[in-house]
Amino acid sequence: MGDVENDVMENEFGVLATWTADAVRVLGPEYAVPAACKGSASPAMLEWLGRTTGLGQGQVLMDVGGGLGGPAEFARGEFGARPVVLEPMVAACRAASELFDLSALAAEGGRLPVADNSADVVWCLGVLCTTPDKSGLIAEIVRVMRPGAQLGLLVFTADEPRPDGAPEGNEFPAEEELPVLLGKHGLEVGRSIAAEELPDHPDQDTWRSRADEVEALVGQMHAGDDRLAQVLDQQRRMGRLIQDQVVRAVLVAANVPNSPN
Ligand SMILES: C[S@@+](CC[C@H](N)C(=O)[O-])C[C@H]1O[C@@H](n2cnc3c(N)ncnc32)[C@H](O)[C@@H]1O
């Protein structure tokens, strides 16, 4: 990844994490989960992922590229999971730890500082498209999954890796590539669904308006900062591609087969 792309990603996933956490502290704790779900700001998606990956009480959930920890906190609150956030941006790890008191380790997805076979469930939401070495990321995820463990993915897909107007630092996989990529690493693909086909969730509107309020406050607090302008440009580009259905969000569940004995 080039220096410019690195700066853009640092602003979008690092600086913005600190600003988001600051804004949540002003507005109140009920704003934390909606604002801290970046890329998966939808309770319907997280419900589907929790149910489809069989998440349950006390299970170790590793959220790779877990950002500020919103999805991990949702998994703890709704399903009783024991989450660990693994996320390369130190500022995002700090936000996950301060906002939710979550365990958060600064780590690239391709080199996770955790033992083999240690996760019951892994989530990786909105990360594949920002990772050039997709195969290395999946290989590392499989290493930490115990036999029988489940993987839940949210993947932004497109027909070409960089459609016109794509945000910096994103290379979208095609939907058809996903079973091939996962199968290559021994994963069995289970269910998948296009995000737009999910049923409505009763909390969706409240989440959306709380996330919007946090974004608006961040905008006021950092008006005139070039880094904010860059982040907003990234988000606008992604939003347009999703609206035009050039980029499509897909949820996938896959599992490591149980060892034969
Ligand atoms: C769109 S955000 C999604 C954050 C979180 N999963 C969520 O849904 O709220 C993408 C995240 O992937 C992280 N990321 C980017 N490249 C990564 C990599 N190679 N390994 C692990 N995480 C990565 C970013 O720092 C960012 O936090």
Side-chain angles (χ1 to χ4, degrees):
M1 201 179 279
D3 287 349
V4 176
E5 278 187 355
N6 269 335
D7 286 352
V8 175
M9 302 306 264
E10 178 68 40
N11 290 340
E12 189 175 5
F13 300 129
V15 174
L16 184 62
T18 303
W19 291 350
T20 300
D22 291 345
V24 166
R25 279 186 208 100
V26 173
L27 290 170
E30 67 276 24
Y31 288 78
V33 172
C37 289
K38 300 288 182 195
S40 54
S42 149
M45 287 195 212
L46 296 175
E47 282 276 352
W48 187 93
L49 285 162
R51 269 188 276 104
T52 311
T53 59
L55 208 53
Q57 195 69 33
Q59 287 192 317
V60 174
L61 166 69
M62 300 203 182
D63 193 359
V64 176
L68 293 80
E73 177 60 12
F74 182 92
R76 180 162 65 183
E78 294 290 315
F79 296 97
R82 284 193 291 145
V84 179
V85 172
L86 299 154
E87 159 61 43
M89 296 292 164
V90 172
C93 291
R94 194 178 309 121
S97 157
E98 290 178 5
L99 287 176
F100 304 116
D101 199 19
L102 284 165
S103 299
L105 300 175
E108 280 287 331
R111 279 183 61 189
L112 299 174
V114 290
D116 296 0
N117 305 330
S118 48
D120 299 309
V121 178
V122 175
W123 282 2
C124 187
L125 313 182
V127 181
L128 266 185
C129 61
T130 59
T131 308
D133 182 9
K134 299 176 192 347
S135 189
L137 173 65
I138 298 297
E140 183 64 347
I141 285 174
V142 169
R143 178 185 71 75
V144 306
M145 293 169 76
R146 65 160 174 76
Q150 298 280 334
L151 171 63
L153 294 170
L154 161 62
V155 188
F156 292 100
T157 64
D159 294 338
E160 51 183 318
R162 290 209 39 85
D164 276 353
E168 299 294 335
N170 282 259
E171 280 178 29
F172 300 100
E175 190 172 348
E176 314 80 75
E177 281 172 45
L178 296 177
V180 180
L181 174 66
L182 299 175
K184 188 174 128 192
H185 294 286
L187 288 162
E188 285 175 349
V189 179
R191 294 173 60 200
S192 67
I193 188 168
E196 63 182 11
E197 286 168 17
L198 287 168
D200 291 339
H201 190 285
D203 295 340
Q204 178 61 42
D205 290 347
T206 311
W207 272 50
R208 189 64 265 157
S209 69
R210 286 185 179 155
D212 287 348
E213 273 186 75
V214 171
E215 276 179 31
L217 182 56
V218 167
Q220 280 170 32
M221 289 164 100
H222 302 282
D225 190 319
D226 289 345
R227 295 170 298 178
L228 178 66
Q230 197 176 56
V231 167
L232 293 178
D233 180 54
Q234 286 280 99
Q235 291 176 345
R236 236 184 326 261
R237 290 201 226 174
M238 188 71 165
R240 194 170 303 139
L241 290 176
I242 291 174
Q243 197 180 352
D244 293 346
Q245 299 191 339
V246 173
V247 166
R248 298 166 297 273
V250 180
L251 301 173
V252 181
N255 71 285
V256 173
N258 274 305
S259 336
N261 49 29

